[in-house]
Amino acid sequence: MKVFYSDHFVLPLPEGHRFPMVKYSMLRERVSEDGICGPGELRSPLAVTDEEILRAHAPNYLKRVISGDLTDKEVRRIGFPWSERMVERSRRASGGTLGACLAALEQGFAANLAGGTHHAFSDRGEGYCVFNDSAIAARAVQAAGLAERVVVIDTDVHQGNGTAEILRMDPTVFTFSIHGAKNFPFHKEESNLDAPLPDGADDTEFLTTLERGLKASLDAVDAGLAIYLAGADPFEGDRLGRLCVTKPGLAERDRVVLETCKARGIPVAVTMAGGYAHHVEDTVDVHLQSIRRAADLMEKDAAADGQGGILHDR
Ligand SMILES: [Zn+2]
């Protein structure tokens, strides 16, 4: 299976910063060891272009991100200090999601070992998110004529507020978010379908709600592509999660989402989104099992036939 990584585009953070940057390189190493990728399938993505970003973001916002002219308040809201490397990493992380979408359209499944930056709004960033990779990738795929409709299945414990805002008026992209009702963001946007869960929700409650919402979403839109945000933060050992979903429960989540999409013939690009476990190894375990499941489901005979679109070789 094709897997895109961008951990080598290092984002410089001050000492003691709370963001678990190390998870990305640990995850790449685990994916590499696990034999998920064949030769040449573990890839560094291209950066998304201004044109691609502008399908999801306001020109003035992009301009100020690039030039470093965001206000202090805007930078605080993003949570990363501004640097040119931050901009480049954000472009590559979105490029990984676009690459995974294009690979999934050809082969059924693919993954980005970053992305899921669902708190990025059209005109501002928030919560470690600068560019909204799901919106950028969905619209790039549509612009290339490779899928008419896309579904975003967001199972990160935080609501996909930026994704909801960007795509609110767009009937061609359906947004589904299952999340902790009392968790960040405290002001929720309106997705096409929201499934808020109470604090302490366990495997049964999470999975029952997920299955119902997933079915309703896939029934509502005849999607040619799914972008699956497999956040690791609904995990019971997460510092920020507030839910009580176990690792086997999250493995079942992956199975339900990926098998349901496969049964309906919908290709899936898996992205990572959040994960802030007390022990970073747990976050990496949860992400790895999502990728492993997708790779296991990928039909080995659906190898690339060279019939990709104009963005084929990303
Ligand atoms: Zn999250």
Side-chain angles (χ1 to χ4, degrees), residues 109-240:
F109 295 97
N112 178 15
L113 304 185
T117 44
H118 57 169
H119 301 309
F121 286 71
S122 55
D123 63 353
R124 65 185 162 90
E126 185 177 290
Y128 307 136
C129 303
V130 179
F131 299 136
N132 194 302
D133 61 316
S134 296
I136 291 169
R139 289 194 164 152
V141 161
Q142 290 176 321
L146 298 173
E148 279 182 39
R149 284 173 293 277
V150 179
V151 62
V152 179
I153 302 164
D154 187 341
T155 70
D156 186 277
V157 82
H158 304 101
Q159 196 216 19
N161 55 348
T163 315
E165 183 263 340
I166 293 171
L167 298 167
R168 181 183 297 129
M169 305 302 283
D170 185 343
T172 68
V173 186
F174 190 95
T175 56
F176 168 49
S177 176
I178 177 171
H179 52 262
K182 294 203 173 134
N183 215 321
F184 175 91
F186 303 109
H187 171 76
K188 308 284 193 289
E189 297 292 323
E190 202 173 313
S191 312
N192 292 111
L193 181 61
D194 285 298
L197 292 166
D199 284 357
D202 63 4
D203 288 0
T204 305
E205 187 166 16
F206 184 89
L207 291 166
T208 308
T209 307
L210 172 68
E211 286 190 54
R212 201 182 306 132
L214 182 64
K215 181 176 187 310
S217 301
L218 298 182
D219 286 348
V221 60
D222 183 18
L225 173 70
I227 299 173
Y228 169 37
L229 282 72
D233 47 15
F235 175 55
E236 58 185 347
D238 196 90
R239 286 188 284 116
L240 308 179

Side-chain angles (χ1 to χ4, degrees), residues 1-69:
M1 186 172 77
K2 286 193 181 122
V3 175
F4 294 83
Y5 65 93
S6 42
D7 61 272
H8 55 311
F9 296 99
V10 176
L11 190 165
L13 291 181
E15 205 171 320
H17 194 283
R18 286 167 61 90
F19 190 78
M21 197 59 75
V22 69
K23 88 168 183 182
Y24 296 100
S25 53
M26 287 173 70
L27 183 58
R28 176 174 47 78
E29 279 162 28
R30 293 281 299 279
V31 166
S32 177
E33 288 162 14
D34 209 76
I36 286 167
C37 304
E41 287 190 323
L42 186 56
R43 296 182 173 194
S44 174
L46 296 180
V48 286
T49 63
D50 288 359
E51 184 188 1
E52 286 163 339
I53 294 170
L54 289 171
R55 294 196 189 104
H57 292 282
N60 182 261
Y61 174 61
L62 173 61
K63 187 167 149 246
R64 291 182 309 110
V65 169
I66 293 171
S67 60
D69 289 327

Side-chain angles (χ1 to χ4, degrees), residues 280-311:
V280 68
E281 295 81 5
D282 286 330
T283 295
V284 174
D285 286 347
V286 171
H287 284 321
L288 184 71
Q289 68 186 10
S290 303
I291 297 160
R292 178 79 259 172
R293 175 73 72 170
D296 287 347
L297 281 172
M298 206 176 92
E299 287 175 358
K300 303 295 179 205
D301 58 358
D305 56 9
Q307 296 300 305
I310 54 167
L311 300 171

